[in-house]
Amino acid sequence: MKKTVIEIIREAENDLPLSDIYLLLIHALRKTKEFLFTYPHNVLSAHELAKWEDNKKRRMQGEPVSYITGEKEFYSLLFKVNYETLIPRPETELLVDEIIKREPESLLDIGTGAGNIAVSVKYHLANCSIVAIDINEGALKVAWENAERILGKHDIRFIQSDFFNNLSKEKFDIIISNPPYIMSKSIKKLQPEIRDYEPGQALDGGADGLDAYKVIINEGWKYLRSGGVEAIHELPLLILEIDPEILDGIRTILQDRRYRIEKIAKDHTGAERMIILSLLK
Ligand SMILES: C[S@@+](CC[C@H](N)C(=O)[O-])C[C@H]1O[C@@H](n2cnc3c(N)ncnc32)[C@H](O)[C@@H]1O
């Protein structure tokens, strides 16, 4: 049976949000959104129709749009994603803004996932020397592919490492991380779309959600360039994505340690989403 773009959209509107329909249709047709608007009466080929039906079925079963299309926009760049990687979130762009405005010469990205932070920074700061690590080899493969596709020739070093274990004693201006921070007991309460599809290793922060923060905060100072400062905005810095639920726990880890809280920033929903720590002298 033949169907046009506009017929497909009208039919699907009862089942899916319009934004999902467009992304899934663009993916099935391998065309742009402009094409859909310009040619609403374009008839889908049998192959396109089958692809659309499959996309729609997967979405209605709860699979995230980005795993179906295999891509997600982050910092205005298009990243490949798959089941090995977390789907980059808009909140994480806050962290990239902070890095870019401080123009570090070197950066360590812990838990790089699809490489979205490291690649976005490199795109804007070509001279920044970047090491991006992840424990998951599958994620690193995706990150590497994203770097190749978005940056072309580049010198980001992707390393498989359990936190700092496989790193040399190199020091950095900024360590950035968006680590797993969901409390283990809360995983089952997550939306099924996240819980059933996104990698557990990217979500589960242990009993108190703080497992990764304990390691990164307690060991990170050894990998930050020395010469801590009193002045605001100076380097070296540890920049971490957080969840409001674990902020008190992070303050506890920080007590009597080597850092000063420079800034806690909220995301567009008003939730505390980022903490910036400067290394004390
Ligand atoms: C929340 S995701 C963040 C992905 C990406 N940086 C972003 O912001 O969208 C956390 C990442 O940390 C990685 N990870 C988890 N435990 C790790 C460990 N012990 N060492 C290194 N990476 C780890 C996961 O594989 C996952 O890719």
Side-chain angles (χ1 to χ4, degrees):
M1 189 184 152
K2 291 198 185 315
K3 278 190 190 168
T4 64
V5 165
I6 191 70
E7 284 168 346
I8 296 265
I9 294 173
R10 286 202 181 122
E11 253 178 48
E13 259 179 327
N14 295 329
D15 302 317
L16 294 175
L18 210 46
S19 52
D20 288 5
I21 297 172
Y22 282 126
L23 289 171
L24 297 174
L25 206 46
I26 287 165
H27 177 253
L29 271 67
R30 296 178 180 276
K31 295 276 190 332
T32 61
K33 195 167 185 177
E34 289 70 36
F35 176 91
L36 301 186
F37 287 140
T38 314
Y39 302 106
H41 301 293
N42 174 65
V43 177
L44 274 68
S45 70
H47 175 75
E48 288 168 343
L49 191 57
K51 186 76 193 149
W52 155 256
E53 296 290 356
D54 183 55
N55 284 356
K56 183 179 172 211
K57 184 169 160 217
R58 285 168 67 181
R59 182 68 192 116
M60 289 184 67
Q61 286 167 347
E63 185 166 351
V65 171
S66 295
Y67 287 145
I68 301 171
T69 62
E71 56 193 28
K72 173 74 184 176
E73 191 178 307
F74 179 85
Y75 221 74
S76 302
L77 299 169
L78 200 58
F79 285 85
K80 174 186 166 170
V81 295
N82 67 21
Y83 298 130
E84 303 282 347
T85 69
L86 187 92
I87 299 168
R89 307 292 204 269
E91 304 87 271
T92 306
E93 294 179 349
L94 255 186
L95 283 77
V96 177
D97 284 339
E98 284 292 336
I99 302 170
I100 290 175
K101 79 176 183 210
R102 290 161 197 269
E103 300 186 352
E105 287 176 6
S106 54
L107 174 79
L108 171 63
D109 176 19
I110 301 178
T112 195
N116 42 305
I117 297 176
V119 172
S120 303
V121 171
K122 189 74 182 175
Y123 187 86
H124 291 277
L125 298 178
N127 292 329
C128 183
S129 162
I130 302 181
V131 174
I133 65 148
D134 206 288
I135 196 167
N136 178 358
E137 209 176 344
L140 280 173
K141 191 167 170 287
V142 175
W144 188 84
E145 281 178 40
N146 279 324
E148 294 279 302
R149 197 173 37 76
I150 295 169
L151 301 168
K153 195 166 150 41
H154 69 90
D155 58 5
I156 298 180
R157 283 167 287 157
F158 291 103
I159 300 172
Q160 185 184 18
S161 185
D162 180 356
F163 295 118
F164 303 97
N165 283 0
N166 285 342
L167 293 184
S168 64
K169 283 283 173 273
E170 184 175 351
K171 290 180 191 274
F172 300 88
D173 282 342
I174 294 182
I175 297 177
I176 181 98
S177 188
N178 171 19
Y181 54 63
I182 312 288
M183 294 179 197
S184 302
K185 66 172 187 313
S186 304
I187 298 274
K188 59 177 181 302
K189 289 185 245 157
L190 290 172
Q191 289 168 268
E193 169 163 342
I194 300 172
R195 184 193 61 213
D196 299 342
Y197 290 93
E198 301 210 60
Q201 216 170 19
L203 301 172
D204 194 339
D208 54 7
L210 293 169
D211 282 4
Y213 296 88
K214 287 174 192 156
V215 181
I216 296 170
I217 290 172
N218 289 338
E219 291 185 37
W221 62 272
K222 296 179 210 159
Y223 298 84
L224 282 171
R225 198 164 51 75
S226 57
V229 289
E230 299 302 326
I232 288 181
H233 290 324
E234 292 198 39
L235 305 168
L237 295 172
L238 184 50
I239 302 182
L240 302 170
E241 182 162 321
I242 57 168
D243 185 82
E245 277 210 337
I246 56 165
L247 186 52
D248 284 344
I250 291 177
R251 287 186 203 277
T252 311
I253 303 173
L254 287 171
Q255 267 169 23
D256 301 326
R257 302 224 191 253
R258 300 166 190 268
Y259 309 88
R260 179 168 60 85
I261 298 179
E262 189 195 299
K263 177 170 167 183
I264 294 172
K266 294 182 175 167
D267 65 19
H268 60 284
T269 69
E272 284 109 350
R273 190 57 64 200
M274 172 176 65
I275 188 164
I276 302 187
L277 305 171
S278 53
L279 194 60
L280 297 172
K281 274 184 183 159

